[in-house]
Amino acid sequence: MSNYKIALIRGDGIGPEVVNEAVRVMEQVGARFGHSFTFEDVLMGGCATDAVGKSYPDGTAERCKACDAVLLGAVGGPKWGSDRPAYERPETALLAIRKDLGLYANLRPAMLRPALAEASPLKKETAQAGIDLMMVRELTGGIYFGKRDKYRTEDRGLEATDLMAYSELEIERIGRRAFELAMLRRKKVTSVDKANVLETSRLWRATMHRLAKEYPEVTYEDMLVDNCAMQIVRNPGQFDVVVTENMFGDILSDEASMVTGSIGLLPSASIGDTAPGLYEPIHGSAPDIAGQDKADPIATILSVAMMFRYSFGLAQEADAVETAVDAVLAQGWHTADIAGAADKLVGTKEMGRLICEAIGG
Ligand code: NAD
C-alpha cells in the first residue's frame, strides 16, 4: 500500500467541478489497487486574487513542493482581465508556478480515442488511420522568456524585439525526455525546428543529432516547423514523439490537439527533474459553462492517468483509468461538448460517476 500526497489547485470557472471528478477517480483507483491519496488544497488564480489580493499567494510553490504531484483545474476568467495589475492576473500565477517548480518539459498526448473518430475534423480516411502522438514542448526557455524591448526609432516609429535564446543544456535535457519517452512508446522521435533560418534551431538540431547517437533503437528525424504544421493535418499517424522548442510547441500542440476532436478530452503534464510534476487539462476555465454541471471532466481525469504513469510509475493504474474512459465513451455516454445521442447526454458529475463505475474495484 502506498500513500501519495497531491496538491489540488482547483482554480476558477469549471476548474473546481472537473477537479472534483478527478478526485473521485483517484479515490476509486485507490480502492481498486490499494493506494491512498491525501489531498492538499492550494489557492491560486482569480479565486486567490479575490481571497488574498494576489493570484499567486506567498508560499504557493513551497506548498506544492511538499506534495508528490500537483493537479490543476484551470485558472482565469473575464473578472481578472488585462486591466488588472500583473500580480492579480491568473496567467501570472501559471507562469510563476511552472518556473518555481522547474517544469521545463510539457507533455501533451494527442490521441484520437476510437469511439470519437467522427469528432475529428480530419478526412475520414486520415482519422481512421489513427492518431497517437506525444508532443514534447520545451516550456521555460526560448522567445517567451527572452529579453524583450520596445523603443522609438528616428524614422520607423516604435520598434519591438523579443530575443530567442537556447543553451545546449536546455536543449539536451528536453531532448533526453523525448528520447526516453520514445523508448516507452513506438521508438520514433521527430525533432521540429527552423534550422534553414534560425541559429537557435541549428544548435537545437546539432544537439539532437548528438543525443540521437545515444539512443540507437530510436528512429530519429528532423522536420521543419512549417512542414510539421502541414503533416499534422495531412498524416498525423506518422508521428510518435514530437519534440520542439517553446513557441513552435505552443502552436503545434494546439494544432495536434484540435485534430483529435474535443478540447474537453485532452490532458497534459509539465515535468522537471525533480518532483512534483504538474498535471492539468489543456482547456481553460470555460466561464461560459461554469457552475452548470456541463463541463467535460475527462481531460482532467486523463491528466490523473498521466500523473499515475509519469510521477508515480503506476502504469497499470493509468491504463485502468484510460480504459474506463474509453469504455464509457464507447457506450455512447457524453457531455455536451461531444456529439452523440440525446438520451446519453450526461453532466459533469454523472460522467465522473460512470468512469468510477467502469474502473470498478
Ligand atoms: P476555454 O478552454 O476555457 O474555453 C473554450 C471553449 O471550450 C468554451 O466554449 C468552453 O465552454 C469550451 N470548453 C472548455 N473546456 C471544456 C470542458 N472541459 N467541457 C466542455 N466544454 C469546454 O478557453 P477560453 O474561453 O479561451 O478561456 C477562458 C479562460 O480560461 C481565460 O481566462 C483563459 O485565460 C483561461 N485559460 C486558462 C488555462 C489554464 O488554466 N491552464 C488555459 C487556457 C485558458
Side-chain angles (χ1 to χ4, degrees):
M1 160 122 181
S2 352
N3 182 269
Y4 299 95
K5 190 170 172 196
I6 294 157
L8 298 178
I9 302 177
R10 296 172 192 268
D12 309 311
I14 61 170
E17 297 169 66
V18 292
V19 168
N20 276 347
E21 298 318 305
V23 166
R24 283 169 69 179
V25 163
M26 282 189 261
E27 283 169 343
Q28 188 70 36
V29 169
R32 175 168 159 197
F33 291 91
H35 306 300
S36 69
F37 298 99
T38 314
F39 301 106
E40 161 96 4
D41 266 296
V42 175
L43 193 64
M44 190 184 106
C47 54
T49 300
D50 287 352
V52 298
K54 37 184 155 176
S55 63
Y56 192 61
D58 300 344
T60 303
E62 288 65 33
R63 295 181 66 195
C64 290
K65 281 180 189 165
C67 295
D68 300 309
V70 183
L71 181 69
L72 168 70
V75 297
K79 187 175 172 194
W80 309 280
S82 49
D83 52 324
R84 299 268 196 140
Y87 64 88
E88 289 186 6
R89 289 202 298 269
E91 295 69 28
T92 306
L94 273 183
L95 288 179
I97 191 131
R98 286 171 183 165
K99 189 168 162 279
D100 288 350
L101 297 184
L103 306 173
Y104 63 81
N106 181 238
L107 274 47
R108 269 213 209 176
M111 189 176 174
L112 192 58
R113 311 210 83 80
L116 294 176
E118 302 270 300
S120 169
L122 295 178
K123 275 195 199 152
K124 206 169 168 196
E125 53 279 20
T126 312
Q128 273 167 350
I131 306 172
D132 181 7
L133 70 85
M134 178 70 81
M135 187 71 68
V136 180
R137 165 187 167 194
E138 201 290 323
L139 204 58
T140 54
I143 199 163
Y144 292 175
F145 288 86
K147 226 168 117 184
R148 59 203 65 201
D149 204 0
K150 189 162 89 177
Y151 45 88
R152 186 162 293 283
T153 63
E154 274 186 12
D155 51 351
R156 301 182 308 281
L158 280 173
E159 196 167 278
T161 62
D162 296 279
L163 181 74
M164 183 193 271
Y166 267 108
S167 64
E168 276 181 300
L169 183 147
E170 288 171 306
I171 303 167
E172 196 173 317
R173 66 183 183 183
I174 189 83
R176 267 192 206 290
R177 285 278 177 184
F179 280 102
E180 273 152 27
L181 276 167
M183 290 296 288
L184 301 173
R185 293 173 46 100
R186 301 194 306 281
K187 297 193 172 64
K188 182 177 175 191
V189 167
T190 305
S191 169
V192 176
D193 62 38
K194 189 71 183 167
N196 52 346
V197 180
L198 300 176
E199 201 54 50
T200 40
S201 281
R202 285 190 278 273
L203 180 64
W204 181 280
R205 194 174 276 207
T207 309
M208 287 292 168
H209 284 195
R210 182 160 47 74
L211 274 182
K213 293 200 184 97
E214 294 180 31
Y215 298 87
E217 283 175 63
V218 176
T219 306
Y220 173 85
E221 67 178 358
D222 301 303
M223 191 175 279
L224 291 175
V225 63
D226 37 352
N227 184 26
C228 185
M230 285 192 283
Q231 295 299 329
I232 286 173
V233 180
R234 199 179 72 82
N235 177 17
Q238 70 184 285
F239 295 115
D240 178 17
V241 173
V242 180
V243 61
T244 191
E245 65 88 36
N246 202 344
M247 181 169 62
F248 297 160
D250 188 8
I251 299 165
L252 293 177
S253 58
D254 266 11
E255 186 194 10
S257 302
M258 287 311 109
V259 299
T260 66
S262 169
I263 192 171
L265 297 180
L266 300 162
S268 77
S270 300
I271 50 186
D273 287 330
T274 49
L278 183 137
Y279 297 83
E280 59 180 318
I282 71 153
H283 61 71
S285 59
D288 52 332
I289 55 166
Q292 300 170 36
D293 194 41
K294 280 188 183 160
D296 192 338
I298 292 180
T300 315
I301 289 169
L302 290 174
S303 301
V304 164
M306 291 189 85
M307 179 193 292
F308 288 163
R309 183 167 282 122
Y310 297 118
S311 274
F312 305 153
L314 300 175
Q316 225 190 334
E317 288 79 348
D319 286 346
V321 173
E322 288 162 355
T323 307
V325 167
D326 280 336
V328 170
L329 291 173
Q331 286 158 20
W333 299 109
H334 63 95
T335 41
D337 52 312
I338 304 169
D343 62 338
K344 293 221 151 179
L345 175 66
V346 293
T348 312
K349 289 188 187 133
E350 180 60 7
M351 181 54 90
R353 193 195 67 75
L354 286 163
I355 293 168
C356 286
E357 190 177 81
I359 291 168

